[in-house]
Structures are given as C-alpha cells and as structure tokens.
Amino acid sequence: MHNLSDPIISINGLGPKAQEKLNNIGIYNLEHLLFHLPLRYQNKTKFTSLDDAQVGTEILVQLTIDRLEEVATRQRQLLCYLSDENNRTLLLRFFHFNQYHKQQLVRGDIIQCFGEVKIGRDGLEIHHPEYRLISKGQSNLLETTLSPVYPLTGNIHQAQLKKWINTALETLKKTSLSDNFENLAKNSMPSLKQALETLHHPKEGENLDQIAEFRHISQQRLIIEELCAHQLSLLKLKHERKSKISNIFKISKSLPKQLSKNIGFELTGAQQRCIDEINLDLSSCHPMLRLLQGDVGSGKTIVAVFACLQAVENGFQAAVMAPTEILASQHLHGFSNYFEPLGIEVAFLTGSQNTAERAQQLNAIQSGKAQVVIGTHALFQESVEFNQLGLVVIDEQHKFGVHQRLSLAQKAHNTPHQLVMTATPIPRSLTMSAYADLDSSIIDELPPGRTPVKTIALSNERKDEVVEKIKQVCKDSNQVYWVCTLIEESEVLRAESATNTHQYLQESLPTLIVVLIHGRMNKDEKSEIMKKFSKGEIDVLVATTVIEVGVNVPNASLMVIENSERLGLAQLHQLRGRVGRGADASICILMYQTPLSANATERLDILRQTNDGFKIANKDLKLRGPGEILGTQQTGIANMKIANIVRDGYLLKQVRFYSEQFLKLDEGKQYALIMRWVSDDKTQYANT
Ligand code: ADP
Ligand code: MG
C-alpha cells in the first residue's frame, strides 16, 4: 500500500534509470505522477464493425486470422489478412517483425487489434496495430474507460508510464488530496480528486470534444488552479521585495527643472504620469521594480533620464543597461546630451573596450566619480564594482533573462531600485501571468506631431520601384534604412548578403551615399557610421538587424525590410519603429519572396493594418505563444502542466477572483498551492 508522498522508486518495476528520467521532468513522488496528464485519449471501449470503420480514425476490432504472407518488395513486410463473419476484410501490415510474430499469428485464431485505419490497394489496413491473441488466452483489449496517451520522456514506454500512473491513481482512491481550492469553489467545480480521475480515465459518455479543446469542466478547474498558483507565486515575490529595504530618494525638483528647459519639447501627459509613478516608488523605502511599457517612439528614454536624475541628486549612481552595443552607444550620446549641461559624469562600459579604456571606466565607476554608467551586459560582470549603486535601468528588457537582471541588482549594498523598459508592448494576459511581480507604468500616448507610418508590402520582383522611392525620399533630404534580414546561422553569411545588397544599391543609386553596417564590424566602425547617419551624412544605411532596437534618427523616413516574411511580428514592428520619429510622413516597405505562407501573409497584413503595438502584441501572442515572446529564461509560464494562457485567456477573470480568495487564506495554504503547481526551478529564483 502506497502513500501519495512516496518516492516513485517505491513503485514495483520502476528502476533507478526511469526514476532519473522522471525526476528530470519534475516527477519525484506518486502525487506528481497524478499531474502528468494525458495528451489525448484512445477509445477502446467498444468494438467497431468494419462497415463503420472510418479512414484516419483509431478503431478496436475483433476478427479471425485468414492467412499470413511475407512479401519482399523494397522492404520486407509481414501481411496478416483478417476477416469478420460477413467476409469483410482488414489487412494488418508489419514492417518490423521476427520469427516469433510469424509463429503466433495462426490461421483460424481470434485476434483483437487496435490502430489507425488506412486505405490500401485492397481495402482497409492497419499498420503495426496493438493486438491480442484471444484464442491463446491473452488479455482482452476492451476497456471500460477511454485510454489515456501520456507525453513520454526518455525511452520510457507508454505502457510502463500508464501502469505507474495507474498505481498512483489506485493510491489516490484510498486517500484524499488536500485541496484548498475546493473550499473556495464551493462545489461549483469537481474536486481535485474527481478532476484528476476524470482526466486520466474519462468515462464513456464524457464529452470528448470538450476535452480535446481543453474546455471540459475538469480541465478548467485545473487550469484555473494552476494559473492561480503562478500568479500567487509572483505576488509572493512582489511581497518579498516590498518587505526589503532600499534607499529612500528625496524627490528633488531642481535638476529636473533644469533638464526640462534643455530638452526642447514638452513631456506628454503619459510621460509625466509615468515619471510621477516612478518618483513615488523611489521615495519609498522599498525597492522599486517597475516595468515601463511604451510603444516604439513613445519616448521612454527621457522618462528614464528623469529617474536617473533623482538617483544622482541623492548621491547615488544609476546604471543603464542596453542589449546591444549600438544601442548602448546611442544611449551614451543621448544621455550625455542631457547630462553634460547639468555637470553629471557619465561612464561607458561594453565588452569590446580595450584594457586601458576599460580600466579607466572601472575606476570611475568604483570611485563614484561616474554618476551614471551606461553599458551592455558588461555591466554585470564580476569585475565591475559600483560605489553607490542606487538605480538600475534596463532597456528593452525582453532581451535579458531574469537572472541577468538579478545579478546587476546584486551589485548594490541595498537592493537598488529597478526600472525595466520594454518597447514590445506586452499583452495584458501576459503581464498578469508572467509579470505579476512587477508594478507597471504605460506610456499610452505618442508625442504630438507624429504622422503614422504608412506600411506597404511589395514582392521582391518590384525592387525597381523601391529604388525609385528611395531617390524621391532622398531628394527631399530625408534618409533611408534598408534592412537585410537573411536568417543565417552565421554572421559571416549575414554580412555577405548585406554586402551584396549594398553593392546593388550603390550601383543603382550612384549619386547617393550608401553605407553598409553589420554585426561583424568592430565597434568603432559601427559607432562612426551611426554617428554619420545621425548627422545626415549618409543617405541610405544598409544594415542587418543590428539596428533593430532603439536606434533613433528622426530624419530617416523610409524603412525597407527585405525578406520581411521571415521575421516575427514583434521584430518587424520594432524595425518599423525606426522611422516615423520626425514630423515627416514615413513609409515602411515590407518586401517579400513569393509564395507567402498563410502565417506570413497574416503577419504582413496585420502590420499593414495597424501601428498599434498592443494590437500587434496580442496577435503575436496568438501566432507564436508566450514562450517565444518572453524567451525561455524569463518565466515558467511557457511550460505549465495544463494551462496555456493564449488558449485559456478567457479564464483569467476567474483566476484573478480565486487568487484574491487565496490571498485571504493562511500562508501555509498559499504555499501548498504554489508547491503543487509551480516547479522547483521557479521557487528557487524566489530566493536569489
Ligand atoms: P522609445 O520609447 O522608442 O525609446 P525614444 O525615447 O527614443 O523612444 O524617443 C523617440 C523620439 O521622440 C526621440 O527623438 C525623443 O527625443 C522624442 N520625444 C520623446 N518625448 C517627446 C515629447 N514629449 N515630445 C516630442 N518629442 C519627444
Ligand atoms: Mg528606446
């Protein structure tokens, strides 16, 4: 007699090798086996008559063996002809077989088979069926409930896994599962025990279509519970953070006032609101962790600059981390423009600096001479020591993992305040499920005077027209980006394709200055080119996707994206966001190679229809799923046991309702829920 808390190794026939495999997917005890839910089901609850057999479906039949034949075509095959009492026939075809099979299948014997029906030259066939020889006294294939098909791991067989899970289900019958959700749901949903039993072995008559669509009440119940658990675990993280102590910034008005005079534009209402929300956090004694969302071009940078000023006024350092060198050096220029007039010292740190440069910067950072530090990942390497780090700003956060974020935060004596910026607006359902531990501010208003970018899709054959358009744009002394998006594993090939395009454009546009930039150039070269482009000394910039994020040259008004069908929505939206930053009407031309897949057509259509990053993000979520959007390091929500936030978005209201109910229960009950659903992995990062 087992207990649900017994380790799986206590199950008969489950050895150390299988134990290891199952441990790898988070299954340590019998209870964990219960939550390893079927992918789908097979129906072996009744025999199907050959008259009713539908090609492409799985059927169970009981027939008589007529004869056996071995044929040698290209591949040796064993054919076993069966028939029923009305002489309707079925052929079993085996591609792998041995002597034993041949001896077993005896003419005149009764056989039961289960498998998918195919149509062959002479009628119905099943290949490699599961079968039992009834005349030889083998057990019946007929079952009383639907048979689950489990996701497999390692080389564990379906039959083994089924047996082990059944052991757990037997144990469940005799015990009870503590289940706090049950009390909250007050009988409006099945109990955990009932739900698990139903999903492992749905009785005949259960609505299988509903189950296939994950809309069965037993599934809904588990989905809501799992999402609740995730949300609760994030809320705990938030709570933990709010119990930590950070530096209180006294909100100052003097530097911000001076800055406001220098920037040359009025902040939008949305920017001001975000600055206020941030200031409120900074002036509290608990560490800020705030997500600043805003569409491309909405003006996030200046909001971050205001936050940095508060750190500086309070005698702390601010670190600004960007995902690429280009973006980091652009921030260096952008921030320096604002800071220099105010007498604020800025340091710069990237991976490609030489030893002397680096030493000098490290020194300034350690001594505290540098008040604002801008850089790439290089900022959180071990050798970097800050004097008084008080604020961390992370730009384009989707490029960084949770761990990278944390390691920068650890460089401070007190937990620093953190501002996380993202240009990819995040759908609400994702924010709720993946970022519930962060507070969030949204810039939902673009600076005035912007004309929306007009987006056109053109096939590659119309390159000539694009070249004409470039001439026109440059005649009006605007500038052009031409992005080459060849998706190659190697930077070498990418650079090569960009080089070819560069040559083509130089030849087609002899009077214009066409310059190439790609990831294989060294950083001085790259920043030199970007500087020239910013100053308007380059007409057409041919680039690989290195310019994807953040680059800001308002005079550029045409963006051409080659092979746009190969890029994801978020990336295309980012690229397009490089234009439309000035007052001039801008155009984005999406060039594509025919024929377009249905999915690619849909992506390009969406971009043509809207400039709204939130709408695009929602579509993207549907097309790609949360895992792709957030990146795997970001969150565990991509590998949940049963829930899927895209498919199950309609349940979020209930999730919120029950999460609130859970928060009213005692801590032990809350942790019990989290432990049951949220994998070890994630509870660990709660402690980092
Ligand atoms: P993003 O949100 O994409 O990071 P940026 O911060 O780079 O956007 O801002 C885009 C451009 O808009 C910059 O040229 C910036 O100077 C300008 N800008 C920002 N805020 C305003 C504003 N309130 N009014 C006018 N221009 C603004
Ligand atoms: Mg930006």
Side-chain angles (χ1 to χ4, degrees), residues 27-64:
I27 299 175
Y28 294 90
N29 62 30
L30 268 64
E31 183 176 329
H32 297 151
L33 278 172
L34 295 175
F35 288 88
H36 192 70
L37 293 165
L39 282 176
R40 61 184 191 91
Y41 303 89
Q42 294 174 334
N43 190 349
K44 296 181 197 163
T45 61
K46 57 175 192 296
F47 293 115
T48 301
S49 144
L50 286 180
D51 271 345
D52 299 333
Q54 283 180 13
V55 176
T57 62
E58 289 176 325
I59 56 165
L60 178 67
V61 289
Q62 176 162 309
L63 301 164
T64 308

mmCIF file of all heavy atoms in Angstrom, residues 27-64:
data_model
loop_
_atom_site.group_PDB
_atom_site.id
_atom_site.type_symbol
_atom_site.label_atom_id
_atom_site.label_comp_id
_atom_site.label_asym_id
_atom_site.label_seq_id
_atom_site.Cartn_x
_atom_site.Cartn_y
_atom_site.Cartn_z
ATOM 1 N N ILE A 27 8.976 14.902 -11.742
ATOM 2 C CA ILE A 27 8.156 13.885 -11.078
ATOM 3 C C ILE A 27 9.012 13.132 -10.066
ATOM 4 O O ILE A 27 9.919 12.391 -10.433
ATOM 5 C CB ILE A 27 7.564 12.903 -12.114
ATOM 6 C CG1 ILE A 27 6.668 13.671 -13.088
ATOM 7 C CG2 ILE A 27 6.794 11.785 -11.424
ATOM 8 C CD1 ILE A 27 6.131 12.825 -14.216
ATOM 9 N N TYR A 28 8.755 13.375 -8.783
ATOM 10 C CA TYR A 28 9.535 12.730 -7.729
ATOM 11 C C TYR A 28 8.702 11.743 -6.922
ATOM 12 O O TYR A 28 9.185 10.731 -6.480
ATOM 13 C CB TYR A 28 10.128 13.773 -6.779
ATOM 14 C CG TYR A 28 11.153 14.643 -7.445
ATOM 15 C CD1 TYR A 28 10.775 15.828 -8.081
ATOM 16 C CD2 TYR A 28 12.492 14.276 -7.467
ATOM 17 C CE1 TYR A 28 11.716 16.625 -8.718
ATOM 18 C CE2 TYR A 28 13.442 15.064 -8.098
ATOM 19 C CZ TYR A 28 13.044 16.232 -8.726
ATOM 20 O OH TYR A 28 13.968 17.004 -9.365
ATOM 21 N N ASN A 29 7.421 12.061 -6.706
ATOM 22 C CA ASN A 29 6.610 11.143 -5.906
ATOM 23 C C ASN A 29 5.311 10.798 -6.627
ATOM 24 O O ASN A 29 5.058 11.275 -7.746
ATOM 25 C CB ASN A 29 6.344 11.740 -4.515
ATOM 26 C CG ASN A 29 5.561 13.044 -4.601
ATOM 27 O OD1 ASN A 29 4.769 13.255 -5.520
ATOM 28 N ND2 ASN A 29 5.786 13.928 -3.639
ATOM 29 N N LEU A 30 4.516 9.956 -5.972
ATOM 30 C CA LEU A 30 3.306 9.464 -6.631
ATOM 31 C C LEU A 30 2.337 10.592 -6.968
ATOM 32 O O LEU A 30 1.670 10.564 -8.000
ATOM 33 C CB LEU A 30 2.608 8.414 -5.745
ATOM 34 C CG LEU A 30 3.022 6.965 -6.017
ATOM 35 C CD1 LEU A 30 4.483 6.737 -5.716
ATOM 36 C CD2 LEU A 30 2.148 5.986 -5.235
ATOM 37 N N GLU A 31 2.289 11.582 -6.084
ATOM 38 C CA GLU A 31 1.376 12.687 -6.354
ATOM 39 C C GLU A 31 1.760 13.399 -7.657
ATOM 40 O O GLU A 31 0.900 13.780 -8.450
ATOM 41 C CB GLU A 31 1.375 13.683 -5.190
ATOM 42 C CG GLU A 31 0.366 14.799 -5.439
ATOM 43 C CD GLU A 31 0.243 15.780 -4.279
ATOM 44 O OE1 GLU A 31 0.424 15.380 -3.121
ATOM 45 O OE2 GLU A 31 -0.048 16.954 -4.559
ATOM 46 N N HIS A 32 3.067 13.554 -7.875
ATOM 47 C CA HIS A 32 3.494 14.211 -9.114
ATOM 48 C C HIS A 32 3.023 13.439 -10.350
ATOM 49 O O HIS A 32 2.707 14.029 -11.373
ATOM 50 C CB HIS A 32 5.018 14.344 -9.156
ATOM 51 C CG HIS A 32 5.568 15.212 -8.069
ATOM 52 N ND1 HIS A 32 6.817 15.049 -7.538
ATOM 53 C CD2 HIS A 32 5.003 16.255 -7.407
ATOM 54 C CE1 HIS A 32 7.015 15.960 -6.593
ATOM 55 N NE2 HIS A 32 5.924 16.700 -6.495
ATOM 56 N N LEU A 33 2.987 12.120 -10.235
ATOM 57 C CA LEU A 33 2.514 11.316 -11.371
ATOM 58 C C LEU A 33 1.069 11.659 -11.730
ATOM 59 O O LEU A 33 0.674 11.644 -12.887
ATOM 60 C CB LEU A 33 2.613 9.821 -11.051
ATOM 61 C CG LEU A 33 3.978 9.153 -11.237
ATOM 62 C CD1 LEU A 33 3.935 7.729 -10.690
ATOM 63 C CD2 LEU A 33 4.382 9.141 -12.709
ATOM 64 N N LEU A 34 0.284 11.977 -10.696
ATOM 65 C CA LEU A 34 -1.130 12.304 -10.942
ATOM 66 C C LEU A 34 -1.278 13.542 -11.822
ATOM 67 O O LEU A 34 -2.262 13.701 -12.528
ATOM 68 C CB LEU A 34 -1.853 12.573 -9.620
ATOM 69 C CG LEU A 34 -1.994 11.404 -8.656
ATOM 70 C CD1 LEU A 34 -2.622 11.877 -7.357
ATOM 71 C CD2 LEU A 34 -2.832 10.301 -9.290
ATOM 72 N N PHE A 35 -0.266 14.411 -11.749
ATOM 73 C CA PHE A 35 -0.362 15.653 -12.511
ATOM 74 C C PHE A 35 0.307 15.560 -13.881
ATOM 75 O O PHE A 35 0.420 16.531 -14.596
ATOM 76 C CB PHE A 35 0.226 16.815 -11.699
ATOM 77 C CG PHE A 35 -0.666 17.198 -10.551
ATOM 78 C CD1 PHE A 35 -0.553 16.565 -9.322
ATOM 79 C CD2 PHE A 35 -1.650 18.152 -10.725
ATOM 80 C CE1 PHE A 35 -1.398 16.886 -8.273
ATOM 81 C CE2 PHE A 35 -2.502 18.486 -9.691
ATOM 82 C CZ PHE A 35 -2.379 17.853 -8.462
ATOM 83 N N HIS A 36 0.752 14.368 -14.202
ATOM 84 C CA HIS A 36 1.254 14.134 -15.557
ATOM 85 C C HIS A 36 0.041 13.722 -16.393
ATOM 86 O O HIS A 36 -0.342 12.566 -16.429
ATOM 87 C CB HIS A 36 2.320 13.032 -15.526
ATOM 88 C CG HIS A 36 3.097 12.928 -16.799
ATOM 89 N ND1 HIS A 36 3.998 13.881 -17.203
ATOM 90 C CD2 HIS A 36 3.103 11.983 -17.769
ATOM 91 C CE1 HIS A 36 4.526 13.527 -18.362
ATOM 92 N NE2 HIS A 36 3.996 12.379 -18.734
ATOM 93 N N LEU A 37 -0.552 14.700 -17.049
ATOM 94 C CA LEU A 37 -1.870 14.475 -17.658
ATOM 95 C C LEU A 37 -1.771 14.012 -19.106
ATOM 96 O O LEU A 37 -0.793 14.307 -19.796
ATOM 97 C CB LEU A 37 -2.682 15.760 -17.571
ATOM 98 C CG LEU A 37 -3.049 16.136 -16.129
ATOM 99 C CD1 LEU A 37 -3.517 17.578 -16.052
ATOM 100 C CD2 LEU A 37 -4.107 15.192 -15.576
ATOM 101 N N PRO A 38 -2.781 13.259 -19.564
ATOM 102 C CA PRO A 38 -2.741 12.724 -20.932
ATOM 103 C C PRO A 38 -2.731 13.825 -21.992
ATOM 104 O O PRO A 38 -3.324 14.883 -21.802
ATOM 105 C CB PRO A 38 -4.043 11.931 -21.055
ATOM 106 C CG PRO A 38 -4.514 11.715 -19.674
ATOM 107 C CD PRO A 38 -3.997 12.844 -18.850
ATOM 108 N N LEU A 39 -2.074 13.537 -23.077
ATOM 109 C CA LEU A 39 -2.095 14.406 -24.249
ATOM 110 C C LEU A 39 -3.405 14.240 -24.990
ATOM 111 O O LEU A 39 -3.956 15.161 -25.557
ATOM 112 C CB LEU A 39 -1.013 13.971 -25.228
ATOM 113 C CG LEU A 39 0.416 14.350 -24.977
ATOM 114 C CD1 LEU A 39 1.287 13.703 -26.036
ATOM 115 C CD2 LEU A 39 0.540 15.860 -25.033
ATOM 116 N N ARG A 40 -3.860 12.983 -25.066
ATOM 117 C CA ARG A 40 -5.089 12.667 -25.771
ATOM 118 C C ARG A 40 -5.548 11.291 -25.310
ATOM 119 O O ARG A 40 -4.948 10.712 -24.399
ATOM 120 C CB ARG A 40 -4.858 12.684 -27.294
ATOM 121 C CG ARG A 40 -3.839 11.676 -27.755
ATOM 122 C CD ARG A 40 -3.564 11.795 -29.249
ATOM 123 N NE ARG A 40 -2.770 10.643 -29.674
ATOM 124 C CZ ARG A 40 -3.265 9.511 -30.122
ATOM 125 N NH1 ARG A 40 -4.566 9.360 -30.254
ATOM 126 N NH2 ARG A 40 -2.484 8.505 -30.448
ATOM 127 N N TYR A 41 -6.604 10.802 -25.942
ATOM 128 C CA TYR A 41 -7.186 9.539 -25.494
ATOM 129 C C TYR A 41 -7.433 8.596 -26.662
ATOM 130 O O TYR A 41 -7.648 9.035 -27.791
ATOM 131 C CB TYR A 41 -8.518 9.795 -24.783
ATOM 132 C CG TYR A 41 -8.360 10.736 -23.631
ATOM 133 C CD1 TYR A 41 -8.473 12.114 -23.823
ATOM 134 C CD2 TYR A 41 -8.048 10.271 -22.362
ATOM 135 C CE1 TYR A 41 -8.284 12.998 -22.775
ATOM 136 C CE2 TYR A 41 -7.857 11.147 -21.302
ATOM 137 C CZ TYR A 41 -7.978 12.510 -21.520
ATOM 138 O OH TYR A 41 -7.782 13.377 -20.479
ATOM 139 N N GLN A 42 -7.406 7.295 -26.345
ATOM 140 C CA GLN A 42 -7.820 6.299 -27.337
ATOM 141 C C GLN A 42 -9.115 5.673 -26.846
ATOM 142 O O GLN A 42 -9.292 5.460 -25.652
ATOM 143 C CB GLN A 42 -6.749 5.213 -27.453
ATOM 144 C CG GLN A 42 -5.453 5.743 -28.031
ATOM 145 C CD GLN A 42 -4.354 4.696 -27.996
ATOM 146 O OE1 GLN A 42 -4.371 3.785 -27.165
ATOM 147 N NE2 GLN A 42 -3.401 4.833 -28.896
ATOM 148 N N ASN A 43 -9.975 5.382 -27.805
ATOM 149 C CA ASN A 43 -11.253 4.781 -27.411
ATOM 150 C C ASN A 43 -11.233 3.285 -27.677
ATOM 151 O O ASN A 43 -11.372 2.835 -28.803
ATOM 152 C CB ASN A 43 -12.386 5.450 -28.190
ATOM 153 C CG ASN A 43 -13.732 5.046 -27.644
ATOM 154 O OD1 ASN A 43 -13.830 4.117 -26.826
ATOM 155 N ND2 ASN A 43 -14.780 5.729 -28.086
ATOM 156 N N LYS A 44 -11.035 2.512 -26.610
ATOM 157 C CA LYS A 44 -11.077 1.044 -26.740
ATOM 158 C C LYS A 44 -12.260 0.496 -25.963
ATOM 159 O O LYS A 44 -12.211 -0.616 -25.447
ATOM 160 C CB LYS A 44 -9.781 0.447 -26.183
ATOM 161 C CG LYS A 44 -8.540 0.840 -26.952
ATOM 162 C CD LYS A 44 -7.323 0.183 -26.331
ATOM 163 C CE LYS A 44 -6.059 0.860 -26.803
ATOM 164 N NZ LYS A 44 -4.916 0.525 -25.928
ATOM 165 N N THR A 45 -13.296 1.326 -25.849
ATOM 166 C CA THR A 45 -14.427 0.888 -25.032
ATOM 167 C C THR A 45 -15.425 0.053 -25.816
ATOM 168 O O THR A 45 -16.346 -0.485 -25.253
ATOM 169 C CB THR A 45 -15.178 2.088 -24.417
ATOM 170 O OG1 THR A 45 -15.675 2.891 -25.507
ATOM 171 C CG2 THR A 45 -14.271 2.929 -23.545
ATOM 172 N N LYS A 46 -15.267 0.004 -27.137
ATOM 173 C CA LYS A 46 -16.187 -0.836 -27.905
ATOM 174 C C LYS A 46 -15.526 -1.315 -29.192
ATOM 175 O O LYS A 46 -14.554 -0.723 -29.672
ATOM 176 C CB LYS A 46 -17.461 -0.055 -28.230
ATOM 177 C CG LYS A 46 -17.213 1.233 -28.997
ATOM 178 C CD LYS A 46 -18.551 1.871 -29.371
ATOM 179 C CE LYS A 46 -18.380 2.993 -30.371
ATOM 180 N NZ LYS A 46 -17.614 4.138 -29.904
ATOM 181 N N PHE A 47 -16.067 -2.430 -29.703
ATOM 182 C CA PHE A 47 -15.575 -2.911 -30.990
ATOM 183 C C PHE A 47 -16.282 -2.157 -32.103
ATOM 184 O O PHE A 47 -17.466 -1.849 -32.000
ATOM 185 C CB PHE A 47 -15.862 -4.411 -31.151
ATOM 186 C CG PHE A 47 -15.057 -5.247 -30.182
ATOM 187 C CD1 PHE A 47 -15.698 -5.982 -29.188
ATOM 188 C CD2 PHE A 47 -13.673 -5.295 -30.268
ATOM 189 C CE1 PHE A 47 -14.959 -6.741 -28.293
ATOM 190 C CE2 PHE A 47 -12.928 -6.052 -29.380
ATOM 191 C CZ PHE A 47 -13.573 -6.779 -28.387
ATOM 192 N N THR A 48 -15.537 -1.860 -33.146
ATOM 193 C CA THR A 48 -16.137 -1.203 -34.292
ATOM 194 C C THR A 48 -16.345 -2.237 -35.382
ATOM 195 O O THR A 48 -15.489 -3.100 -35.593
ATOM 196 C CB THR A 48 -15.202 -0.094 -34.811
ATOM 197 O OG1 THR A 48 -14.982 0.830 -33.760
ATOM 198 C CG2 THR A 48 -15.799 0.637 -36.009
ATOM 199 N N SER A 49 -17.491 -2.176 -36.048
ATOM 200 C CA SER A 49 -17.719 -3.077 -37.170
ATOM 201 C C SER A 49 -16.950 -2.525 -38.374
ATOM 202 O O SER A 49 -16.830 -1.312 -38.528
ATOM 203 C CB SER A 49 -19.221 -3.135 -37.460
ATOM 204 O OG SER A 49 -19.416 -3.248 -38.849
ATOM 205 N N LEU A 50 -16.414 -3.403 -39.200
ATOM 206 C CA LEU A 50 -15.618 -2.946 -40.340
ATOM 207 C C LEU A 50 -16.434 -2.054 -41.275
ATOM 208 O O LEU A 50 -15.888 -1.210 -41.981
ATOM 209 C CB LEU A 50 -15.028 -4.127 -41.108
ATOM 210 C CG LEU A 50 -13.852 -4.840 -40.393
ATOM 211 C CD1 LEU A 50 -13.342 -5.999 -41.230
ATOM 212 C CD2 LEU A 50 -12.727 -3.874 -40.064
ATOM 213 N N ASP A 51 -17.746 -2.230 -41.258
ATOM 214 C CA ASP A 51 -18.612 -1.365 -42.064
ATOM 215 C C ASP A 51 -18.529 0.094 -41.620
ATOM 216 O O ASP A 51 -18.673 1.009 -42.421
ATOM 217 C CB ASP A 51 -20.082 -1.806 -41.912
ATOM 218 C CG ASP A 51 -20.416 -2.856 -42.944
ATOM 219 O OD1 ASP A 51 -19.616 -3.001 -43.894
ATOM 220 O OD2 ASP A 51 -21.444 -3.520 -42.780
ATOM 221 N N ASP A 52 -18.333 0.275 -40.318
ATOM 222 C CA ASP A 52 -18.342 1.631 -39.768
ATOM 223 C C ASP A 52 -16.952 2.249 -39.669
ATOM 224 O O ASP A 52 -16.809 3.385 -39.228
ATOM 225 C CB ASP A 52 -18.963 1.621 -38.358
ATOM 226 C CG ASP A 52 -20.397 1.130 -38.393
ATOM 227 O OD1 ASP A 52 -21.034 1.297 -39.458
ATOM 228 O OD2 ASP A 52 -20.863 0.567 -37.388
ATOM 229 N N ALA A 53 -15.923 1.471 -40.032
ATOM 230 C CA ALA A 53 -14.551 1.968 -39.853
ATOM 231 C C ALA A 53 -14.287 3.178 -40.746
ATOM 232 O O ALA A 53 -14.517 3.124 -41.957
ATOM 233 C CB ALA A 53 -13.551 0.863 -40.175
ATOM 234 N N GLN A 54 -13.833 4.266 -40.144
ATOM 235 C CA GLN A 54 -13.523 5.458 -40.938
ATOM 236 C C GLN A 54 -12.022 5.615 -41.068
ATOM 237 O O GLN A 54 -11.298 5.540 -40.075
ATOM 238 C CB GLN A 54 -14.088 6.700 -40.248
ATOM 239 C CG GLN A 54 -15.575 6.822 -40.451
ATOM 240 C CD GLN A 54 -16.113 8.058 -39.764
ATOM 241 O OE1 GLN A 54 -15.349 8.930 -39.355
ATOM 242 N NE2 GLN A 54 -17.424 8.116 -39.641
ATOM 243 N N VAL A 55 -11.603 5.833 -42.294
ATOM 244 C CA VAL A 55 -10.175 6.002 -42.538
ATOM 245 C C VAL A 55 -9.661 7.190 -41.723
ATOM 246 O O VAL A 55 -10.313 8.223 -41.643
ATOM 247 C CB VAL A 55 -9.920 6.226 -44.041
ATOM 248 C CG1 VAL A 55 -8.444 6.507 -44.300
ATOM 249 C CG2 VAL A 55 -10.374 5.002 -44.825
ATOM 250 N N GLY A 56 -8.492 6.988 -41.086
ATOM 251 C CA GLY A 56 -7.901 8.072 -40.306
ATOM 252 C C GLY A 56 -8.293 8.057 -38.837
ATOM 253 O O GLY A 56 -7.762 8.824 -38.058
ATOM 254 N N THR A 57 -9.228 7.180 -38.461
ATOM 255 C CA THR A 57 -9.581 7.108 -37.043
ATOM 256 C C THR A 57 -9.027 5.821 -36.443
ATOM 257 O O THR A 57 -8.673 4.885 -37.157
ATOM 258 C CB THR A 57 -11.107 7.104 -36.823
ATOM 259 O OG1 THR A 57 -11.658 5.932 -37.455
ATOM 260 C CG2 THR A 57 -11.752 8.338 -37.421
ATOM 261 N N GLU A 58 -8.948 5.803 -35.115
ATOM 262 C CA GLU A 58 -8.461 4.604 -34.441
ATOM 263 C C GLU A 58 -9.643 3.723 -34.079
ATOM 264 O O GLU A 58 -10.637 4.198 -33.540
ATOM 265 C CB GLU A 58 -7.712 4.996 -33.170
ATOM 266 C CG GLU A 58 -6.374 5.658 -33.456
ATOM 267 C CD GLU A 58 -5.685 6.135 -32.183
ATOM 268 O OE1 GLU A 58 -6.386 6.563 -31.249
ATOM 269 O OE2 GLU A 58 -4.455 6.073 -32.135
ATOM 270 N N ILE A 59 -9.533 2.420 -34.371
ATOM 271 C CA ILE A 59 -10.644 1.520 -34.040
ATOM 272 C C ILE A 59 -10.136 0.268 -33.329
ATOM 273 O O ILE A 59 -8.968 -0.112 -33.447
ATOM 274 C CB ILE A 59 -11.414 1.068 -35.310
ATOM 275 C CG1 ILE A 59 -10.453 0.421 -36.316
ATOM 276 C CG2 ILE A 59 -12.161 2.229 -35.940
ATOM 277 C CD1 ILE A 59 -11.170 -0.357 -37.408
ATOM 278 N N LEU A 60 -11.056 -0.330 -32.592
ATOM 279 C CA LEU A 60 -10.785 -1.626 -31.977
ATOM 280 C C LEU A 60 -11.666 -2.655 -32.684
ATOM 281 O O LEU A 60 -12.864 -2.431 -32.854
ATOM 282 C CB LEU A 60 -11.135 -1.570 -30.482
ATOM 283 C CG LEU A 60 -10.959 -2.872 -29.707
ATOM 284 C CD1 LEU A 60 -9.491 -3.270 -29.616
ATOM 285 C CD2 LEU A 60 -11.554 -2.741 -28.301
ATOM 286 N N VAL A 61 -11.068 -3.740 -33.153
ATOM 287 C CA VAL A 61 -11.849 -4.775 -33.852
ATOM 288 C C VAL A 61 -11.492 -6.153 -33.311
ATOM 289 O O VAL A 61 -10.416 -6.358 -32.745
ATOM 290 C CB VAL A 61 -11.569 -4.772 -35.379
ATOM 291 C CG1 VAL A 61 -12.162 -3.543 -36.047
ATOM 292 C CG2 VAL A 61 -10.076 -4.844 -35.658
ATOM 293 N N GLN A 62 -12.412 -7.085 -33.469
ATOM 294 C CA GLN A 62 -12.133 -8.490 -33.123
ATOM 295 C C GLN A 62 -12.455 -9.319 -34.351
ATOM 296 O O GLN A 62 -13.590 -9.343 -34.812
ATOM 297 C CB GLN A 62 -12.968 -8.922 -31.928
ATOM 298 C CG GLN A 62 -12.802 -10.399 -31.591
ATOM 299 C CD GLN A 62 -13.267 -10.728 -30.186
ATOM 300 O OE1 GLN A 62 -12.878 -10.082 -29.220
ATOM 301 N NE2 GLN A 62 -14.108 -11.746 -30.073
ATOM 302 N N LEU A 63 -11.439 -9.999 -34.913
ATOM 303 C CA LEU A 63 -11.595 -10.667 -36.208
ATOM 304 C C LEU A 63 -10.897 -12.026 -36.202
ATOM 305 O O LEU A 63 -10.229 -12.401 -35.230
ATOM 306 C CB LEU A 63 -10.997 -9.784 -37.314
ATOM 307 C CG LEU A 63 -11.607 -8.380 -37.458
ATOM 308 C CD1 LEU A 63 -10.714 -7.486 -38.291
ATOM 309 C CD2 LEU A 63 -13.008 -8.451 -38.068
ATOM 310 N N THR A 64 -11.039 -12.728 -37.313
ATOM 311 C CA THR A 64 -10.400 -14.046 -37.440
ATOM 312 C C THR A 64 -9.225 -13.946 -38.413
ATOM 313 O O THR A 64 -9.315 -13.259 -39.433
ATOM 314 C CB THR A 64 -11.413 -15.065 -38.004
ATOM 315 O OG1 THR A 64 -12.593 -14.999 -37.203
ATOM 316 C CG2 THR A 64 -10.851 -16.482 -37.963
#
